């Protein structure tokens, strides 16, 4: 029962990633962790940064969308 729910959530997550990132290789979406530069190289992240930079970017995007 629990495994079915985990599988369903994984499929939902994969769908959201595909929608946001485009055509990614399904082999990248098997539950592995990718760090830093590897994530950028694989198309899973746009850039490297820290929390302050992420917050600033989110605020910028929010203001731009008004």
């Amino acid at each position: 029962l629990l495994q079915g729910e985990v599988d369903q959530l994984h499929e939902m997550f994969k769908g959201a990633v595909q929608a946001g990132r485009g055509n990614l290789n399904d082999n990248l979406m098997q539950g592995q962790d990718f760090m830093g530069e590897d994530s950028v190289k694989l198309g899973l992240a746009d850039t490297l940064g820290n929390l302050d930079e992420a917050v600033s970017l989110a605020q910028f995007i929010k203001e731009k969308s008004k």
Side-chain angles (χ1 to χ4, degrees):
L1 180 67
L2 181 58
Q3 185 62 52
E5 291 180 20
V6 169
D7 292 343
Q8 183 179 9
L9 287 172
H10 183 241
E11 289 302 316
M12 290 171 59
F13 174 76
K14 286 174 31 177
V17 171
Q18 288 284 21
R21 290 280 159 193
N23 190 20
L24 291 175
N25 184 334
D26 198 45
N27 291 332
L28 293 177
M29 302 190 357
Q30 299 301 315
Q32 311 93 307
D33 293 326
F34 297 99
M35 301 298 287
E37 291 179 7
D38 291 335
S39 296
V40 174
K41 288 176 186 175
L42 293 168
L44 298 170
D46 296 323
T47 188
L48 300 178
N50 60 38
L51 179 59
D52 291 335
E53 292 168 332
V55 170
S56 293
L57 180 58
Q59 289 172 333
F60 172 78
I61 291 170
K62 179 182 175 184
E63 291 300 318
K64 186 177 174 183
S65 68
K66 286 184 178 179

